[in-house]
Amino acid sequence: MKLQIELTKFYTEKDELRFFMALREIPALKSIQGVGRSLIIDFDLRGLGRDSLLELIGILTRYQINLKPIGILAERSKFAWLKDKRWYWYGEMFGEQ
């Protein structure tokens, strides 16, 4: 599954490097493609588990990247837990409080 995210500003070259290193540590990541200020991240959903998805959300949150594109995963029963309103990302991911 491909997700497109809009990047924010990186403060240093090493800051940007750490962001991409963190993404590449997610086992289900198949590829990353830059398109302007966006990234298209391709995941193997069979290998994307709860821990990996929590890691992705944490990385995107740390770098203040909009979480709405991740919300589409909640349409799959495997990731329905994303819609639990008690999680810190709920409002940003689904535009609700």
Side-chain angles (χ1 to χ4, degrees), residues 3-73:
L3 299 174
Q4 183 170 346
I5 61 169
E6 299 295 320
L7 292 177
T8 58
K9 179 180 176 182
F10 294 106
Y11 295 102
T12 67
E13 194 172 304
K14 286 186 179 181
D15 186 40
E16 183 176 1
L17 179 63
R18 280 189 284 279
F19 170 76
F20 283 100
M21 285 175 59
L23 281 182
R24 287 188 181 101
E25 288 180 0
I26 298 173
L29 178 75
K30 289 172 35 177
S31 68
I32 303 172
Q33 177 185 359
V35 179
R37 293 286 309 152
S38 297
L39 284 182
I40 298 174
I41 305 173
D42 190 10
F43 290 100
D44 176 358
L45 289 183
R46 294 169 296 178
L48 185 63
R50 184 183 182 97
D51 289 343
S52 295
L53 186 50
L54 287 171
E55 191 65 31
L56 175 64
I57 292 167
I59 294 164
L60 298 182
T61 299
R62 181 175 315 280
Y63 283 90
Q64 300 176 346
I65 295 172
N66 188 337
L67 297 176
K68 285 187 188 223
I70 306 299
I72 195 156
L73 292 172

